[in-house]
């Protein structure tokens, strides 16, 4: 079947057989944000998302103040979706130190949040196509041709511009350079905690260090606890590679986690895992021959900051606004890099200290003696305030 026919079938009412203005590859927060912004400005946009259904992701599911603000601008209210308010951060190292977060925060499952954003995109006029994997991209005279595998067949689709929002997954032939800290594996498991432990968690997110890794624990909807951790690959190999063996080591090395998880029931058959996790990666230049890279494809901040989604949402919005304003991909990538590079570099340095000795000991002593420093780090790893893009872009009202 010809590309044009498929384009017509997939996009009737969204640009027709001549192709779309923009195709966004990947329907996470970054892709959804870009698509909503573009559709609001009258562009014909499709999001191609490879998963067919709502799904879980390896993520601490912590929404920072910036993430909450950005979601609000898109008309998504995490509290109305069942999110849990987080007011304090507990750092479990030498002892447990609790500080008030310098911003309001919420925890909400990615299964719920990502779907809400895609629903918002559909309402804004975006064509959201699920179960579609983009296998390859080719430059054409007036844009891009995408090779897509759908539920029943493969086909080609044309668009003037393409936004790559595939998260940690690289498109074929477009591997990202390694991040500054690329030797970690990420895991996530949901637990039903014992009632007294669940009660003790109320309103807090907890960060615990163990040998060559660190873990975040918080409650999400229905009082379920999300334990999300990263560990160096070498340590994982040393303990035999399995998540259960790793969990056993973590509990032996962190008395705090051991107490929290005593009597807890795992709720997934096995922990979810992701590798590699390229912490510290920041894209300085345009991707490929003029592709817009957003979210984790633009920059990856270590997970302990709980700010990855904020970077995703703000890069998606910025790329869309600059595309609408006919600015170049290179200018976008430079501006976004400038906005996030210091924050990503600081967080990556700390993330490396967390997993190496003797630096980890210094971090634990520092947090124990000066708990205020934990709060300062939480503040310093936020994004720089945004400046308007050349004053050329109009506000996109998504109410
Ligand atoms: C261990 C860990 C803990 C974290 N904890 C937090 C936290 O607590 N708070 C926070 O804000 N951030 C956290 N993050 C970071 C956060 O998960 C990411 O920064 C965020 O998901 C990036 O959004 P995205 O839209 O770029 O990518 P994603 O959310 O990964 O979305 C990408 C989408 O693209 C789709 N896709 C991929 N390839 C293709 C393809 N070829 N064709 C079609 N679709 C495709 C995928 O299915 C996916 O839905 C954590 C990350 C890790 C690793």
């Amino acid at each position: 079947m010809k590309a044009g026919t498929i384009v017509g079938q997939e996009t009737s009412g969204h640009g027709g057989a001549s192709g779309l203005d923009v195709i966004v590859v990947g329907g996470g927060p970054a892709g959804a944000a870009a698509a909503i912004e573009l559709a609001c400005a009258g562009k014909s946009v499709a999001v191609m998302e490879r998963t067919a259904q709502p799904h879980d992701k390896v993520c601490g599911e912590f929404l920072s103040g910036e993430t909450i603000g950005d979601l609000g601008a898109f008309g998504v209210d995490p509290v109305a979706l069942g999110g849990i308010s987080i007011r304090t951060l507990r750092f479990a190292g030498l002892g447990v130190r609790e500080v008030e977060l310098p911003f309001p925060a919420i925890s909400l499952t990615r299964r719920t949040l990502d779907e809400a954003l895609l629903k918002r995109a559909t309402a804004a006029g975006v064509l959201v196509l699920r179960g579609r994997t983009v296998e390859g991209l080719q430059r054409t005279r007036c844009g891009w041709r995408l090779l897509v595998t759908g539920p029943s067949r493969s086909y080609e689709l044309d668009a003037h511009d393409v936004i790559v929002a595939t998260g940690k997954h690289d498109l074929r032939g477009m591997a990202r350079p390694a991040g500054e800290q690329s030797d970690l594996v990420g895991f996530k498991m949901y637990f039903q905690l014992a009632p007294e432990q669940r009660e003790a968690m109320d309103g807090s997110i907890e960060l615990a260090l163990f040998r060559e890794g660190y873990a975040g624990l918080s409650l999400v909807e229905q009082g379920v606890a999300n334990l999300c951790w990263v560990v160096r690959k070498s340590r994982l190999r040393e303990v035999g590679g399995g998540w259960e063996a790793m969990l056993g080591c973590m509990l032996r090395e962190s008395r705090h986690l051991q107490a929290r998880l005593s009597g807890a029931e795992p709720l997934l058959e096995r922990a979810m895992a992701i590798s590699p996790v390229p912490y510290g990666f920041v894209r300085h230049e345009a991707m490929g021959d003029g592709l817009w890279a957003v979210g984790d494809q633009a920059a990856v901040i270590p997970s302990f900051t709980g700010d990855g989604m904020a970077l995703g949402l703000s890069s998606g919005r910025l790329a869309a606004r600059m595309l609408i304003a006919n600015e170049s991909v290179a200018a976008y990538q430079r501006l976004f890099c400038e906005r996030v590079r210091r924050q990503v570099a600081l967080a990556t340095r700390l993330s490396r200290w967390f997993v190496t000795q003797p630096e980890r000991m210094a971090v634990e002593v520092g947090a124990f003696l000066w708990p205020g420093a934990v709060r300062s780090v939480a503040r310093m790893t936020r994004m720089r305030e945004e400046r308007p893009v050349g004053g050329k872009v109009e506000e996109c009202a998504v109410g």
Side-chain angles (χ1 to χ4, degrees):
M1 198 179 285
K2 278 195 171 133
T5 319
I6 297 286
V7 175
Q9 283 175 5
E10 292 272 38
T11 64
S12 65
H14 291 266
S18 58
L20 292 145
D21 291 332
V22 187
I23 291 180
V24 180
V25 187
I36 295 170
E37 196 83 26
L38 288 161
C40 283
K43 299 275 184 193
S44 59
V45 193
V47 169
M48 317 295 286
E49 167 53 47
R50 67 178 184 173
T51 59
Q53 302 287 340
H55 59 289
D56 293 318
K57 278 181 179 166
V58 177
C59 183
E61 306 185 320
F62 174 87
L63 311 186
S64 66
E66 295 147 298
T67 306
I68 297 167
D70 283 341
L71 290 172
F74 289 121
V76 173
D77 176 1
V79 174
L81 293 169
I84 312 268
S85 165
I86 306 275
R87 298 173 299 280
T88 57
L89 165 68
R90 290 196 194 119
F91 186 88
L94 279 186
V96 180
R97 288 287 188 243
E98 178 171 311
V99 293
E100 233 174 77
L101 283 169
F103 46 79
I106 290 173
S107 62
L108 180 70
T109 53
R110 294 295 299 272
R111 177 181 280 270
T112 303
L113 179 65
D114 288 19
E115 282 312 297
L117 276 164
L118 286 179
K119 215 167 137 198
R120 196 68 204 85
T122 304
V126 176
L127 178 69
V128 176
L129 296 167
R130 306 290 306 248
R132 311 295 198 284
T133 302
V134 173
E135 309 281 3
L137 285 168
Q138 199 189 328
R139 201 65 168 120
T140 61
R141 208 159 39 84
C142 48
W144 293 91
R145 178 152 295 166
L146 287 79
L147 176 61
V148 181
T149 299
S152 54
R153 60 182 186 271
S154 294
Y155 53 90
E156 290 172 341
L157 212 50
D158 291 336
H160 192 267
D161 283 290
V162 172
I163 296 183
V164 179
T166 52
K168 305 273 181 314
H169 307 275
D170 294 329
L171 282 172
R172 195 169 297 161
M174 297 189 180
R176 273 168 301 183
E180 289 289 310
Q181 189 184 26
S182 287
D183 61 343
L184 299 177
V185 183
F187 287 95
K188 168 169 128 177
M189 171 56 93
Y190 288 120
F191 287 95
Q192 192 69 59
L193 298 185
E196 67 280 7
Q197 297 299 335
R198 195 171 57 232
E199 220 168 280
M201 287 287 309
D202 187 35
S204 283
I205 179 154
E206 302 188 332
L207 181 64
L209 305 190
F210 56 93
R211 186 152 76 79
E212 298 190 41
Y214 53 92
L217 183 70
S218 60
L219 295 181
V220 291
E221 298 98 294
Q222 275 103 44
V224 165
N226 172 351
L227 179 72
C228 191
W229 72 95
V230 289
V231 61
R232 286 174 101 169
K233 282 181 195 161
S234 50
R235 177 84 208 278
L236 191 61
R237 270 198 302 272
E238 191 186 307
V239 302
W243 73 272
E244 277 169 311
M246 193 61 241
L247 182 66
C249 292
M250 278 159 59
L251 299 189
R252 277 193 297 279
E253 291 161 20
S254 167
R255 272 193 297 164
H256 183 74
L257 283 181
Q258 193 180 59
R260 280 284 175 265
L261 295 184
S262 69
E265 289 292 328
L267 297 176
L268 304 174
E269 209 166 288
R270 58 203 311 269
M272 301 173 64
I274 188 153
S275 171
V277 184
Y279 288 161
F281 165 74
V282 179
R283 196 179 288 281
H284 301 266
E285 293 169 348
M287 178 183 191
D289 192 9
L291 292 163
W292 302 77
V294 298
D296 281 356
Q297 285 289 321
V300 184
I301 187 155
S303 48
F304 78 87
T305 63
D307 221 25
M309 283 185 270
L311 265 64
L313 291 166
S314 81
S315 62
R317 196 181 46 210
L318 180 66
R321 289 185 175 192
M322 290 184 75
L323 192 157
I324 294 159
N326 283 325
E327 304 237 21
S328 71
V329 182
Y332 152 72
Q333 220 72 63
R334 270 197 307 273
L335 180 57
F336 188 68
C337 167
E338 188 51 36
R339 232 172 235 185
V340 300
R341 73 187 163 82
R342 283 188 200 87
Q343 171 210 20
V344 172
L346 171 67
T348 307
R349 192 170 318 134
L350 283 167
S351 177
R352 291 173 88 145
W353 288 356
F354 287 178
V355 301
T356 29
Q357 284 292 22
E359 290 87 343
R360 174 187 144 200
M361 185 48 74
V363 169
E364 292 192 1
V365 171
F368 187 75
L369 295 178
W370 302 287
V374 175
R375 195 164 191 265
S376 301
V377 166
R379 194 184 301 110
M380 283 155 66
T381 49
R382 301 305 102 194
M383 279 182 66
R384 289 174 57 196
E385 221 169 88
E386 291 183 21
R387 279 167 283 131
V389 181
K392 291 183 188 167
V393 187
E394 285 172 25
E395 282 298 310
C396 174
V398 186

